[in-house]
Amino acid sequence: MSRATLKKDPKDVAAMFDDVAAKYDLTNDVLSLGQDRLWRRAVHQAVGATAGTRILDIAAGTATSSEPFVAAGAEVVPADFSLGMLREGHKRRPTWPFTAADATALPFADDSFDVVTMSFGLRNVADYSQALAEFRRVTRPGGRLVICEFSQPVIPGFRTIYSNYLMAALPPIARKVSSNPESYVYLAESIQAWPGQAELAQDIADAGWGEVEWRNLSGGIVALHRAVKP
Ligand SMILES: C[S@@+](CC[C@H](N)C(=O)[O-])C[C@H]1O[C@@H](n2cnc3c(N)ncnc32)[C@H](O)[C@@H]1O
């Protein structure tokens, strides 16, 4: 299925995440076979948060992705457009500044963050080029972008095995652990339809970012893209 066919109305995407919010973190752990912990460590390394670094974690969901930055003493704003995810996050982390925000129209001033990061969110944004431009607007000159997203496995044999896992094995497992298994069918399809590493790097550069580079994690199941605002 092509990405154009798969594109969901932003309201439906928010509603879908509202539905899975309570069990989101558990489901992630199970479906990624625990790999998500490795991916989060790599994001943390790339973000390089230290005390006082101003970080926007956009599409933060329940803010599990923000945890390591907060632990490092950074000033983190976890933002998301699913109120269900924000509410679940607020229940668990009541003092954190959860903010309702759409990635394509951010409620922040120009140049206000040192780093903008997004983990497993960009694929869900219908107009992701607009989101990349917004991330650039709110990042200070010299500030950085770190995007962690599912990508294309780079080993050909493994690519087939992975594709079968996504389309055949993932939905039945999701039915057991998730409150909304349909959303995991969407997950599988949206991963298949998402651009590969080089194409996404080009999209990031086209949105005005410099020094774009990426690193594959778990053989390219996930890619970590980094860039700098000129
Ligand atoms: C798979 S979750 C990732 C949550 C978190 N970053 C993590 O790594 O656990 C994707 C999140 O993206 C959010 N999202 C999707 N499109 C968005 C948009 N246009 N603006 C803000 N958030 C969005 C969803 O509401 C959801 O919480």
Side-chain angles (χ1 to χ4, degrees):
M1 190 178 295
S2 79
R3 195 172 144 74
T5 328
L6 202 68
K7 260 188 198 169
K8 268 190 187 283
D9 186 294
K11 281 199 201 81
D12 296 338
V13 175
M16 180 180 81
F17 281 103
D18 288 348
D19 279 354
V20 299
K23 282 189 168 178
Y24 169 76
D25 289 314
L26 167 71
T27 312
N28 251 6
D29 249 6
V30 174
L31 294 183
S32 74
L33 312 173
Q35 292 282 299
D36 58 324
R37 287 155 199 252
L38 291 177
W39 303 335
R40 291 195 192 288
R41 266 207 292 280
V43 171
H44 183 39
Q45 220 174 24
V47 167
T50 54
T53 313
R54 288 165 303 152
I55 299 174
L56 171 62
D57 185 8
I58 182 68
T62 58
T64 301
S65 48
S66 308
E67 260 175 5
F69 319 138
V70 174
E75 290 172 25
V76 188
V77 177
D80 201 284
F81 77 168
S82 154
L83 298 182
M85 290 293 258
L86 291 172
R87 255 183 234 120
E88 188 61 33
H90 176 72
K91 239 194 276 176
R92 296 183 207 172
R93 297 146 179 140
T95 59
W96 293 13
F98 284 94
T99 303
D102 184 333
T104 59
L106 292 172
F108 305 108
D110 295 0
D111 305 343
S112 39
F113 294 98
D114 298 309
V115 183
V116 173
T117 181
M118 191 182 210
S119 289
F120 308 108
L122 196 61
R123 195 188 62 257
N124 301 299
V125 181
D127 189 354
Y128 69 87
S129 293
Q130 169 64 19
L132 292 168
E134 271 295 86
F135 301 163
R136 190 176 73 88
R137 180 183 67 74
V138 302
T139 302
R140 69 162 168 79
R144 288 171 302 112
L145 175 72
V146 176
I147 303 272
C148 179
E149 189 49 90
F150 289 106
S151 199
Q152 310 291 341
V154 286
I155 306 160
F158 176 61
R159 194 177 297 171
T160 314
I161 296 169
Y162 175 64
S163 174
N164 290 341
Y165 167 72
L166 280 180
M167 299 318 280
L170 190 144
I173 301 172
R175 232 162 265 138
K176 290 216 163 60
V177 290
S178 171
S179 42
N180 181 352
E182 282 319 300
S183 67
Y184 287 87
V185 173
Y186 163 77
L187 171 74
E189 289 174 351
S190 69
I191 292 174
Q192 302 267 57
W194 184 242
Q197 290 80 336
E199 198 184 329
L200 180 58
Q202 188 57 54
D203 292 334
I204 295 172
D206 290 346
W209 290 91
E211 299 176 45
V212 184
E213 50 188 14
W214 76 84
R215 175 184 161 202
N216 290 317
L217 303 174
S218 306
I221 288 180
V222 164
L224 198 60
H225 283 76
R226 282 164 299 163
V228 177
K229 176 165 168 176

